Amino acid sequence: MDAQSPMFPSAYDLKAPAGAEGWEELYPYYLTFQPNLREQEDAKFWFCDSQHWPNPFKPFDAVTVEFAVKCLGQYNTRHYLVPPANGVDYRIHNGYCYMSPIAVAPELIEGRVPQFMDRAGHYFQNWPTLLENWHKKVRANIDEMEALEFEKLPETVSVEDVKGGVGLDNTTKLTETYDRAIQLLYRTWQYHFEFLNLGYAAYLDLFGFMKEQFPSIPDQAIAKMVQGHDSDLFRPDDELKKLARLAIELGLADALRSGSVDEALAQVGTRPNGEKWLAAWEEAKDPWFNYTTGNGFYSTDKYWIENLDIPMGYLRDYIARAEAGGTIERPTAELHAERDRITSEYQEMMEPEAQEVFQGKLGLARVVYPYVEDHNFYIEHWSMGVFWRKMRELSKLLSEEGFWPTEDGMFYLTRNEVRDVLFDYGNAWATGGDWIGPSYWPQEIERRRGIIDALSTEAPQPALNNPPEVITEPFTIMLWGITSDSIKNWTGGDDNSSDLTGMAASPGAVEGLARVIRSPEQLGEIQQGEILVAPVTAPSWAPVFGKIQATVTDIGGMMSHAAIVCREYGLPAVTGTGNGSSRIETGQRIRVDGNTGQVTILD
C-alpha cells in the first residue's frame, strides 16, 4: 500500500463534525497534531484507543490520558528499559485519543536486556514485599486526597492569623490544595504503572515460551493457565452476592425489594436481624462501593458510593435470582479445574528440561498476573472516584461564586485554566475589586459544551494513516487486540455478510438475542439470557454477567478487561470485531463462538 492511497485518512484531512470547528483550542498544544509536523506524523500508524476513552474529552478530563499514557511510557522507557518497547505516543483528534507505539531501535534492544533483567528482576524476586508497599503508598495517596478541602474565600483573613504572624492569606491554601490534588493524581498514575507492565511482561514471557514449545497452541489455552484468581476488582460484585445471600438467610429479602435506597434500608432496620444486615452493608461500602459504572477516566462517571441506587439495583436482582434457585457466584471451582487440567496436559508433553522452565515461568506469571486486574480497583475506581469528587466540589464552589452557572462548568476548562481561575478569584478578593471570570466563562463554557456535543455526534475513525504490513508488537496485540486481521475489520469488511470476525477471547459457543449497549445507563435494559454487544465493556459491568450468555466488543485483545472478566465468569467472548456494535442490532439472534472468534448474525 503506497503513501498516496492510505488505508485510513490522515488526521490533517479528517474534518471535524459540523458545529465542532475550533475544537483544537480546547486542549494543550502537545495533545493535538501540529501542521508543521505533518510529514513525520503521517508516517506513523495511529489507532483510536476507544477501549479506555470511548467518548470525546472535556478539556479537564483530558488530564487522564495525559497522566496515564505518560506514566505508562516512563516505566517502559526510563524505569525498566523494556528491551523492544518504549512508550506510546498519543494525540487527541476530534475529541478522541489516538495512539502510536514507539519501538526501540533494533540495534539498541540487546543493550537494554541486562538492565531490564536487573531492574525488573528485582521486582519479580521481591514481588510480595514490594506489592505490600505499593498498597501502603496507594492507600496513603487516597487518604491524603480524601482529606483535601476547598473553602470559599472569607470576608477577611482571620484575626488569629493576623495576630499570629502567619503572613499568608486564604488564597494560599486554596491554590495549594488544588495543586496538591493534581500532584496526587499524578502520583496515582505513576503508582498505577509501577507493576502493571511487569505483570504483562511475565505473562508474555510465558506466552512466548508456550508458542515456542507448541506453535499451534491456542492463545486461550495459555490464558486459562492463569485464570481463576480472586481479584480485588471482583470484590464489589462478590460483596453484593454475599449481601443477597445474607438477606435471604435473615428473612429480609422483601424489605429490600422496593422503594428508594433510604426506604429499603429503613425498612430493614425495623426487622429482626436487620441491624446485622445493615452492619454488613456498611462494611461492604468501605472500600468496595468506591466503584464506577464507567472506567474512571471521565468526570461524569458514576460511583456506587455516591449513587447507592446502583448497587441496590444489582443487589435486588441477585436476591431474585438466588430465590429462584439460580447460581449467582462465579464458577471458581470449574475455572480452577480447567486451569489445572490444561496446565497438566501441556506439561506432560514437554521434555523434562522444558518442564522445569515451564514451571518457573508459570509460577512467576501466576504470582504477578493478578495485579493486571487488581490494580484497577485501587486506581481507576477508588483513587479516581475520590479525585473526581474533590474536583466536583471545587467546580460547585466556583459555580456558587458566579464563575459558571452549572456545577459541571469547571470540566470545560483545562487543568491549567482552572489555576488561572483560582488566581482571578483570589486576585479580585485581595484587591476588593470584581473578578473577571463571571463575565467571561459562562459564554465560553457554553461554546465549548456545544463543541463537545458536536464531537459526540460522530464515531471516531478507528485508525489514521497506513498500518504496518504485520502487527508484531505484543502489548498492542494483547491489550487492544490490534492485529493485521482486526485492522481489515475496521475498514468495514463485507457489510452484507452475516459473519463478523474478532479475537477468540473467552471459550464457549452460544446462540441468543443481542442487546446493544453503548453506555452504563443502558445496563438496566439487559434481559436474562441475552448477548451483550458493546463498543467496549467496563470491569464494573460484572453484576450483569450473570444474566447474559456471552459478550461481543468492537475493540480489545486477550488481556483486555472484557476478555479477562468474561473468562473469570465463564462466559464466551469475541473481542476486537471492529464494528460489531454497529453491525448488530438489539433483538437480532446471533451466534457467538468464543473458541474461533466468529460472530454470526442469524436473522
Side-chain angles (χ1 to χ4, degrees), residues 203-219 222 346 349-351 354 357-358 361:
Y203 178 79
L204 286 169
D205 186 43
L206 171 66
F207 184 89
F209 174 79
M210 293 304 296
K211 287 292 186 179
E212 289 177 359
Q213 293 289 313
F214 307 100
S216 61
I217 184 174
D219 293 358
I222 307 172
Y346 277 99
M349 290 187 284
M350 297 179 193
E351 296 296 327
V357 175
F358 171 64
K361 293 182 183 297

Side-chain angles (χ1 to χ4, degrees), residues 365-380:
R366 285 182 175 175
V367 167
V368 306
Y369 177 76
Y371 180 87
V372 170
E373 287 298 284
D374 284 359
H375 80 279
N376 197 270
F377 173 75
Y378 295 97
I379 303 298
E380 281 92 330

Side-chain angles (χ1 to χ4, degrees), residues 312-330:
M312 181 61 77
Y314 291 140
L315 173 66
R316 289 169 173 168
D317 186 59
Y318 278 140
I319 289 173
R321 285 158 55 190
E323 286 183 322
T327 300
I328 60 177
E329 287 76 21
R330 282 193 299 133

Side-chain angles (χ1 to χ4, degrees), residues 92-107:
I92 292 177
H93 191 73
N94 284 347
Y96 294 94
C97 173
Y98 287 85
M99 293 186 167
S100 182
I102 302 173
V104 175
E107 66 273 14

